[in-house]
Amino acid sequence: MPIAHFTVSQVRVAAACPRILYFDAEHTRRHGLKQPSISRIWKTGEQEATACGSLFHAAIEQFNHHALAEPMVRRIVESDADAPRLTQELLGHIYDHHVNRAALFEKTGAQQQAFLAALRCYVGELADILAHARSVGKPIAEVLDEMFGDRRRRVDVTFDVGPADEPVHVTGILDYVFYDWRTTHNRIIDYKLTPPDKHAEDLFQVSLYALMHHVQHRTEPDVGVLYLYPKRQMIEKSWEQVHGERHKVYNLLASMREWVRYDEQTGQGLKPPGEPLYCNVCRWRDQCVERLGPKHEGQRLTHWTDALAAAPCAELPVAAHEPGPVAKAEADEGPTVPAEPPEDALWIGETAARRPVALPLAALPTHVAVIGAAGSGKTWVAKVLAEEAVGQGVPVLALDPQGDLVQLMKPRDPASFAGELRRRYDRFWERAEPRILTPGSSHGIRL
């Protein structure tokens, strides 16, 4: 049987009402649609339209994508560490360069005011983080890179959630991921222009993003849902809370796989239950009871919660990996543990299945190029190669006009590393003898 595929939006729907997921999936199959039909029940329409939701998201997406390379953004952050003034300067920059003002001016006066209020709220949150980073002495280049340089927004993970040996594949794109110096944690934010009346489902969605992001990048992110309109409200969870409740996500994913396969004619399979709370916004409400019976009828899989109840202190391992034939072969071997790369290799990182990715040291005497699209991680890979070369005792001469690689010369707290990372960190500083040459100035060694 083919693997079950879902988007994060479909998981959000299923968390609210399993029957909506079922009817959407049945509609997709019956009409042979290439893209899944999704009833976006959390968008009430009126509030989002009032704050010009599509216009807002387009402006923020464009700003976040270009901020790292925009000299004006760097000058604004360099010039002031006061949050209110940063808010005002960044707000003006975004309005002048990233807001589609022609489209905004077509809106009513009330809509324009709502849009600007939401934009000010968002930028104020951003300015507060930037101001804190400046106040604790973080270099401008590091601040901008951590705030705007992380392009890892697309998540694509396959979970082995059981109870049968059949995985569930989930994809999505999160709003914003960054490093928050206020909490010293990675953080994923999902921003909304709707009232927080469905915050449990919204928080469930961003928690799923966090679990998936951790599977792909080992980030252990805290999460938050930031409501911008009609008033600001932040709903948050720590990574510990997200990780501690992952059994709920696994139960839901396993149930979704069975709900979409339910056969109305024979009654075979797992019948999805209904949630009356969403009947007034559901396009399937007129046929729900007629086709599937009373809304209280239906089942959910609970094997992950049951396992936790039987052994409260037990770990809940789940083999989670990226899709593909190699990942499937690894899944058949059961959960894996991190493997160490060879001592004479340049360690690039790990796969989602925690297999090491490395280059042979012999590759360095030849030509090595790092090529990719904007935001794809070229600078990150260059930093890794330089750091690994130094760790292997290979001298590195770096021409660094943008100040990216020089950040490697600033030691970090060794306690923030563990295991293999700590060992490689210590080896780096045992062999590193940094010399920073600054032609034309006396900031480093003047030539």
Side-chain angles (χ1 to χ4, degrees), residues 62-74 93 98 140-151 374-375 379 402 404 407:
Q62 188 181 105
F63 168 69
N64 286 339
H65 183 75
H66 293 285
L68 187 61
E70 288 185 330
M72 178 59 71
V73 174
R74 179 181 287 266
H93 173 76
H98 299 293
I140 296 297
E142 181 182 346
V143 171
L144 294 176
D145 186 58
E146 293 285 7
M147 289 300 297
F148 304 112
D150 196 334
R151 306 298 187 190
T379 300
Q402 290 187 313
D404 293 317
Q407 297 174 49

Side-chain angles (χ1 to χ4, degrees), residues 412-428:
R412 297 191 180 185
D413 183 4
S416 62
F417 302 95
E420 169 65 11
L421 287 177
R422 174 63 182 272
R423 189 178 71 80
R424 300 183 82 86
Y425 176 84
D426 291 340
R427 187 174 68 177
F428 175 86

Side-chain angles (χ1 to χ4, degrees), residues 342-346 361 388-394 424 427 431:
E343 284 291 331
D344 60 347
L346 308 175
L361 184 59
E388 285 294 294
V390 171
Q392 295 287 350
V394 178
R424 300 183 82 86
R427 187 174 68 177
R431 302 181 180 183

Side-chain angles (χ1 to χ4, degrees), residues 13-14 16-23 252 255 259 262 270-276 288 292-301:
V13 169
C17 180
R19 288 196 176 182
I20 298 179
L21 170 77
Y22 168 79
F23 285 120
L252 179 64
S255 298
W259 286 331
Y262 177 71
L270 194 70
K271 178 190 286 190
E275 174 50 67
C288 176
L292 296 181
K295 294 181 177 63
H296 69 273
E297 292 183 359
Q299 303 82 38
R300 301 171 183 268
L301 296 179

Side-chain angles (χ1 to χ4, degrees), residues 118-445:
L119 186 61
R120 176 176 290 277
C121 182
Y122 177 87
V123 175
E125 198 78 22
L126 178 66
D128 186 63
I129 301 169
L130 291 169
H132 179 83
R134 292 293 314 281
S135 70
V136 297
K138 296 299 179 182
I140 296 297
E142 181 182 346
V143 171
L144 294 176
D145 186 58
E146 293 285 7
M147 289 300 297
F148 304 112
D150 196 334
R151 306 298 187 190
R152 300 172 297 177
R153 294 175 51 222
R154 186 178 298 276
V155 284
D156 186 333
V157 173
T158 301
F159 292 99
D160 289 335
V161 292
D165 184 18
E166 187 180 347
V168 174
H169 178 215
V170 187
T171 59
I173 302 177
L174 52 90
D175 279 349
Y176 192 28
V177 56
F178 64 101
Y179 184 82
D180 193 337
W181 290 273
R182 300 171 301 182
T183 60
T184 64
H185 278 85
N186 288 300
R187 190 175 177 87
I188 291 176
I189 295 292
D190 201 25
Y191 46 86
K192 306 287 185 183
L193 278 80
T194 53
D197 54 352
K198 302 291 188 302
H199 65 268
E201 288 86 351
D202 293 335
L203 199 55
F204 184 93
Q205 178 179 349
V206 74
S207 295
L208 172 60
Y209 278 132
L211 289 171
M212 296 175 69
H213 204 268
H214 175 66
V215 166
Q216 288 187 260
H217 306 294
R218 304 296 167 192
T219 45
E220 298 188 355
D222 298 334
V223 300
V225 182
L226 176 58
Y227 296 94
L228 300 167
Y229 183 83
K231 64 177 182 179
R232 180 201 178 278
Q233 185 171 343
M234 177 77 85
I235 309 293
E236 301 173 279
K237 268 188 179 181
S238 67
W239 166 251
E240 289 73 21
Q241 290 173 308
V242 171
H243 192 250
E245 296 178 357
R246 64 197 183 284
H247 59 96
K248 299 178 182 178
V249 176
Y250 300 160
N251 282 337
L252 179 64
L253 293 178
S255 298
M256 289 173 62
R257 180 187 59 211
E258 304 305 318
W259 286 331
V260 298
R261 295 173 179 171
Y262 177 71
D263 190 319
E264 294 181 44
Q265 303 302 319
T266 65
Q268 293 182 340
L270 194 70
K271 178 190 286 190
E275 174 50 67
L277 179 64
Y278 291 91
C279 289
N280 63 326
V281 293
C282 176
R283 59 174 172 161
W284 310 111
R285 59 182 178 272
D286 294 335
Q287 50 186 298
C288 176
V289 175
E290 179 182 348
R291 291 173 57 180
L292 296 181
K295 294 181 177 63
H296 69 273
E297 292 183 359
Q299 303 82 38
R300 301 171 183 268
L301 296 179
T302 61
H303 51 290
W304 288 99
T305 302
D306 296 342
L308 190 63
C313 297
E315 179 63 17
L316 292 179
V318 58
H321 47 81
E322 295 176 335
V326 174
K328 183 64 175 69
E330 292 173 345
D332 292 339
E333 300 172 5
T336 60
V337 296
E340 295 186 6
E343 284 291 331
D344 60 347
L346 308 175
W347 188 25
I348 307 302
E350 297 174 350
T351 67
R354 309 200 72 180
R355 305 287 188 182
V357 177
L359 286 176
L361 184 59
L364 285 184
T366 62
H367 297 86
V368 178
V370 182
I371 302 172
S376 61
K378 298 186 298 295
T379 300
W380 182 88
V381 172
K383 288 181 181 180
V384 169
L385 290 173
E387 186 176 40
E388 285 294 294
V390 171
Q392 295 287 350
V394 178
V396 174
L397 175 62
L399 305 180
D400 189 24
Q402 290 187 313
D404 293 317
L405 298 175
V406 76
Q407 297 174 49
L408 293 174
M409 300 299 98
K410 183 177 181 180
R412 297 191 180 185
D413 183 4
S416 62
F417 302 95
E420 169 65 11
L421 287 177
R422 174 63 182 272
R423 189 178 71 80
R424 300 183 82 86
Y425 176 84
D426 291 340
R427 187 174 68 177
F428 175 86
W429 283 106
E430 286 172 1
R431 302 181 180 183
E433 295 183 10
R435 300 289 187 269
I436 302 176
L437 310 179
T438 52
S441 79
S442 300
H443 291 293
I445 301 174

